[in-house]
Each structure stands twice: as structure tokens, then as C-alpha cells.
Amino acid sequence: MATITIPVTDDLYRRMEHFSWVKWSEVARHSLRKREIFEKYLRSGELSDEDVEFCDKIDWHPVDEMSLKKDFVHKLENSKKETSLKVKDISDIFE
């Protein structure tokens, strides 16, 4: 397995030391893997079974990183403007 070295500032290193229980190499590996999966997903729109397994393991999906579509944002904004129905009982909905 290859090894990489990442320089960090002294301040960041001191802050990282406060979290001695964190496996920083694992954090870096997951971040790199997420980036790789995200870029493949942008190109192809698909995930391999191995990628799906990794995403499920960390409860993440490449779509989480994408911005909302403008038409969806517009629908959300319009729904905020609509008046809501005040319901005291479930039967009020069907009246």
C-alpha cells in the first residue's frame, strides 16, 4: 500500500491532537474515496456495486453533494407562500 504525507499548519495539527481518538488516515481515505465516487457519478450517472456498498456504509450518496435543481427550489419557494390548512382532526382534511 502506498503512503502519502499531507502537510498541515501547526495550528491545525494542534487542533487535530485534541481528537486523538480520530483515525485521521481513515478520514482522509474516506474523503478521497468519496471524491472519486462523486466524479465517476458525475460522468456516468451510475455507481458500481462496490461504490454503493461504500456509500451505504457511510450513509452518503453523491447526490448529497449536488445542488438542488432550480425548478425544485422554485416549487419549494412557492409552497412556502401558500397558506396551510389548519387541522384539528384528521376528518378536517376530507371536508
Side-chain angles (χ1 to χ4, degrees):
M1 181 181 291
T3 302
I4 63 171
T5 302
I6 302 171
V8 295
T9 63
D10 292 336
D11 181 52
L12 177 58
Y13 184 75
R14 280 191 294 277
R15 288 187 283 157
M16 290 170 66
E17 284 181 321
H18 289 299
F19 301 99
S20 59
W21 51 271
V22 174
K23 296 177 182 173
W24 292 109
S25 58
E26 186 175 333
V27 171
R29 275 193 301 274
H30 279 197
S31 295
L32 291 168
R33 177 87 170 132
K34 283 171 59 175
R35 179 64 184 226
E36 176 188 37
I37 291 170
F38 181 67
E39 289 179 3
K40 281 196 297 187
Y41 184 77
L42 288 178
R43 283 192 303 273
S44 69
E46 297 177 358
L47 296 175
S48 69
D49 292 340
E50 184 180 310
D51 293 341
V52 169
E53 186 178 326
F54 174 80
C55 291
D56 288 344
K57 179 182 168 188
I58 65 168
D59 192 27
W60 174 82
H61 193 279
V63 166
D64 298 343
E65 304 296 321
M66 299 174 80
S67 59
L68 297 174
K69 292 184 177 181
K70 290 181 182 180
D71 62 327
F72 181 72
V73 172
H74 184 67
K75 286 179 184 179
L76 284 175
E77 289 171 352
N78 286 341
S79 69
K80 288 180 186 178
K81 295 175 186 175
E82 294 176 2
T83 57
S84 57
L85 178 65
K86 298 200 181 215
V87 176
K88 292 182 182 177
D89 188 81
I90 191 86
S91 62
D92 293 347
I93 297 173
F94 303 106
E95 291 181 359

